[in-house]
């Protein structure tokens, strides 16, 4: 794979994800003179003894303390003399004292993304870092050295100080790193890779740890997952719609043109594509039978006995039609699995509005992250070629390290994730509940002997995850805790937001996997039940189909002839129908599931199947199958 070229201006989210997963990087040669110019400018200002924040002063609340010409502490009894300059010591101390994060280390993809982001922003040429130091960072990244960066410790201003210090400390030969799968000291990792530690120069420590790389890396990687999960959510919803033999009017193009939120319009169009070719959706309600428990008398042939279920309808008698005669002239008087009503429940009908709103939240976050990818985020900002009278007009302390732009959009996405998970769980619950699943068996299992639970507890797992996601959705960005002796009196907490979103995206995928797992079972049942009715109608007569209809009149009744005529009309309509099937994309996704997970005929251990369903989502296998259809 060709290395990703970093110039500080053109890094894309896709390129960052590629680097996170192992791609190499290279520095844009044409940008290096600007990098060198800023470093040379700072060196010249130090020679002129100009006071510059973070170069010849302390940091944070120590910004008013200027570096002296020599170490006062060397006059203390027993104090050893050092060959390190105060400027070098200042930058080194900044890194080694700030690397104080705790908790489990970030995964290698997050750390590699952080390194790439940091290199790219320093390539803007306004940070004062030397070209050689940047080249050392590139060499460390390309060698596969992954600094150990514990997850907890950033408040998101001044940037991600502590986690970025864990990155930089390895460059100095300190800290810890993973190298070739082994956790070793930073010095050992450099040595094994054939690299030398770096001695930092003016402002280089500040350039290395002052920025938004952790929150940005987590945010970009989270959105990379979420963008596929948005399509997966639509796919799971489409499979559930087919399993319900649902109604498509709510997804019509002309409907959404009247409320054209971009995400809503996109989801409606996506659902139409996923369900294209379905003969289950929009099926006349009277053709849909209800599930009935299998019995030895259920079917009349050995082939149909293998179905392991029975079907049935209820007939609406003539004396129940008073005032509804016009309706029953148009619609057949049989009540099976579907109620005759013009709308489905909100979890089906409102998919574009809910899924679309989540898409819009993710799109807004993507816009902000794309700006941040090529933004300068350290401090102070060096303008070496500015024609100004004083150095403080060329080295300007600003607030680009503040993570609030990222924090707020991550809060938005954080609130959106439980919404998408919740509507998915509601559809799953609707599938397993016999009161709401439109004639499917309770918990999607035959349960002839009352010993089986079927998919009952799958819904429990989904509910538990949704509750956990909802409890984690509280925005961290609204709760600032001042730091650095109140010099940093308002912070973003964006690192926590982005870290939460990255973890929550994985849990969203689990809920969607559970819906797909359940919807595949329901789709099999719905398709087979309707096709069983079609086959019976095709091979039998009205009397045979009438055996499946409850509430009919006695054979000696005056109404019996009329009843048989209506059953015959139902039989003809079923017999003349094509085989009932889901949409082409839904069918392809269903086949991908069935290649790994068989239909549940009888209760069995489901833990491995649940894990497989989640893996189908994580690996993108089920989504890829639908996209290829």
């Amino acid at each position: 794979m060709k290395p990703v070229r970093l110039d500080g201006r053109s890094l894309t989210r896709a390129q960052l994800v590629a680097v996170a997963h192992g791609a190499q990087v290279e520095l844009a040669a044409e940008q290096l003179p600007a990098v060198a110019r800023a470093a040379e400018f700072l060196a010249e200002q130090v020679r002129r003894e100009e006071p510059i924040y973070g170069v010849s002063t302390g940091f944070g609340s120590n910004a008013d303390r200027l570096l002296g010409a020599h170490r006062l502490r060397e006059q203390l009894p027993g104090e050893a003399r050092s060959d390190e300059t105060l400027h070098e010591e200042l930058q080194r101390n900044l890194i080694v004292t700030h690397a104080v994060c705790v908790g489990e280390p970030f995964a290698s993809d997050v750390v590699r993304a952080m390194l790439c982001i940091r290199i790219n922003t320093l390539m803007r040429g306004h940070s004062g870092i030397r070209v050689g130091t940047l080249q050392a960072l590139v060499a460390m990244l390309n060698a596969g050295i992954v600094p150990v960066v514990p997850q907890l410790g950033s408040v998101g201003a001044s940037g991600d100080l502590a986690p970025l210090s864990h990155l930089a400390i390895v460059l100095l030969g300190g800290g810890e790193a993973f190298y070739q799968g082994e956790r070793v000291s930073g010095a050992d990792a450099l040595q094994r890779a054939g690299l030398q530690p770096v001695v930092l120069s003016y402002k280089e420590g500040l350039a290395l740890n002052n920025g938004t790389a952790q929150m940005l890396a987590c945010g970009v990687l989270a959105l990379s997952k979420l963008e596929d999960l948005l399509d997966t959510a639509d796919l799971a919803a489409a499979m559930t719609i087919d399993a319900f033999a649902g109604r498509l009017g709510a997804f019509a193009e002309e409907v959404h043109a009247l409320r054209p939120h971009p995400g809503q319009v996109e989801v409606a169009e996506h659902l139409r594509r996923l369900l294209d070719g379905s003969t289950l959706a929009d099926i006349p309600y009277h053709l849909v039978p209800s599930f009935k428990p299998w019995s030895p008398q259920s079917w009349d042939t050995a082939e149909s006995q293998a179905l392991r279920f029975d079907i049935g309808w209820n007939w609406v008698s003539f004396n129940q039609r008073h005032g509804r005669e016009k309706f029953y002239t148009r619609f057949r008087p049989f009540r099976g699995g579907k109620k005759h009503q013009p709308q489905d429940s909100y979890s089906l009908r409102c998919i574009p509005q809910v899924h679309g709103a989540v898409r819009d939240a993710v799109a807004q976050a993507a816009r902000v992250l794309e700006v941040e990818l090529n933004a300068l985020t350290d401090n102070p900002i060096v303008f070496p070629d500015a024609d100004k009278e004083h150095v403080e007009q060329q080295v300007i302390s600003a607030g680009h390290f503040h993570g609030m732009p990222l924090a707020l959009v991550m809060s938005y996405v954080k609130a959106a994730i439980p919404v998408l998970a919740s509507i998915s769980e509601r559809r799953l619950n609707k599938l397993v509940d016999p009161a709401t699943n439109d004639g499917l068996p309770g918990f999607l299992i035959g349960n002839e002997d009352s010993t089986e639970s079927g998919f009952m507890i799958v819904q429990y797992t989904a509910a538990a995850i949704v509750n956990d996601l909802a409890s984690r959705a509280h925005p961290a960005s609204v709760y600032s805790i001042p730091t650095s002796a109140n010099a940093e009196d308002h912070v973003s907490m964006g690192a926590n937001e982005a870290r939460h979103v990255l973890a929550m995206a994985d849990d969203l995928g689990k809920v969607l996997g559970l819906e797909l797992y359940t919807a595949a079972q329901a789709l099999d049942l719905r398709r087979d039940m309707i096709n069983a009715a079609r086959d019976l109608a095709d091979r039998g007569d009205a009397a045979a189909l009438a055996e499946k209809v409850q509430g009919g009149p006695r054979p000696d009744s005056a109404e019996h002839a009329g009843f048989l005529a209506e059953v015959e009309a139902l039989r003809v309509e079923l017999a003349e129908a094509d085989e009932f099937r889901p949409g082409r994309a839904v069918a392809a996704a269903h086949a991908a599931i069935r290649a790994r997970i068989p239909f549940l005929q009888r209760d069995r251990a489901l833990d491995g199947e649940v894990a497989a369903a989640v893996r189908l989502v994580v690996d993108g296998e089920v989504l890829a199958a639908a996209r290829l259809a």
Side-chain angles (χ1 to χ4, degrees), residues 44 113 134 150 157 242 272 277 283 315 350 384 403 411 423-424 433 435 490 498 518 520 529 552 559 572:
E44 176 61 24
L134 266 183
D242 259 338
R272 294 195 299 271
I283 185 173
W315 180 62
C350 299
S411 295
I423 196 171
S424 174
D433 184 352
H490 187 275
T518 307
M529 286 163 57
E559 295 181 335
V572 170

Side-chain angles (χ1 to χ4, degrees), residues 432-445:
V432 300
D433 184 352
T436 60
N437 68 10
D438 289 356
L440 294 173
F443 307 117
L444 305 179
I445 194 78

Side-chain angles (χ1 to χ4, degrees), residues 342-484:
Q343 58 191 27
D344 287 318
S345 63
Y346 285 9
S347 63
L348 300 178
R349 189 184 0 147
C350 299
I351 292 165
Q353 291 79 6
V354 177
H355 288 207
V358 176
R359 279 185 182 268
D360 288 340
V362 171
Q364 170 64 3
R367 184 192 67 79
V368 171
L369 298 185
E370 284 160 5
V371 170
E372 193 79 358
L373 272 175
N374 295 289
L376 187 88
T377 58
D378 61 325
N379 180 67
I381 303 170
V382 182
F383 294 92
D385 298 319
D387 185 15
K388 302 294 183 181
E389 182 179 358
H390 301 293
V391 69
E392 57 266 26
Q393 296 171 303
Q394 293 174 286
V395 183
I396 301 174
S397 286
H400 284 359
F401 48 72
H402 204 291
M404 194 54 76
L406 281 70
L408 284 179
V409 292
M410 287 295 101
S411 295
Y412 189 8
V413 174
K414 214 166 118 177
I417 288 173
V419 169
L420 197 58
S422 175
I423 196 171
S424 174
E425 182 277 331
R426 287 292 83 198
R427 290 191 297 262
L428 190 166
N429 182 76
K430 185 176 171 66
L431 286 169
V432 300
D433 184 352
T436 60
N437 68 10
D438 289 356
L440 294 173
F443 307 117
L444 305 179
I445 194 78
N447 199 24
E448 297 84 1
D449 297 311
S450 304
T451 62
E452 296 176 300
S453 296
F455 282 70
M456 179 195 297
I457 307 300
V458 174
Q459 184 263 334
Y460 286 43
T461 301
I465 298 170
V466 170
N467 175 266
D468 187 64
L469 286 169
S471 67
R472 291 151 64 191
H474 178 78
S477 58
V478 303
Y479 190 49
S480 172
I481 301 176
T483 55
S484 191

Side-chain angles (χ1 to χ4, degrees), residues 293-310 448 532 539 548 601-602:
W294 179 91
S295 73
Q297 294 77 40
S298 292
W299 300 98
D300 57 357
T301 67
E303 183 180 1
S304 58
Q305 282 283 13
L307 292 170
R308 307 168 78 94
F309 58 77
D310 198 358
E448 297 84 1
R539 70 173 186 270
K548 303 297 183 185
Q601 291 280 13
R602 292 284 177 262

Side-chain angles (χ1 to χ4, degrees), residues 6-22:
L6 301 178
D7 60 7
R9 289 175 168 80
S10 59
L11 180 63
T12 67
R13 289 192 291 128
Q15 288 175 322
L16 183 65
V17 172
V19 173
H21 294 149

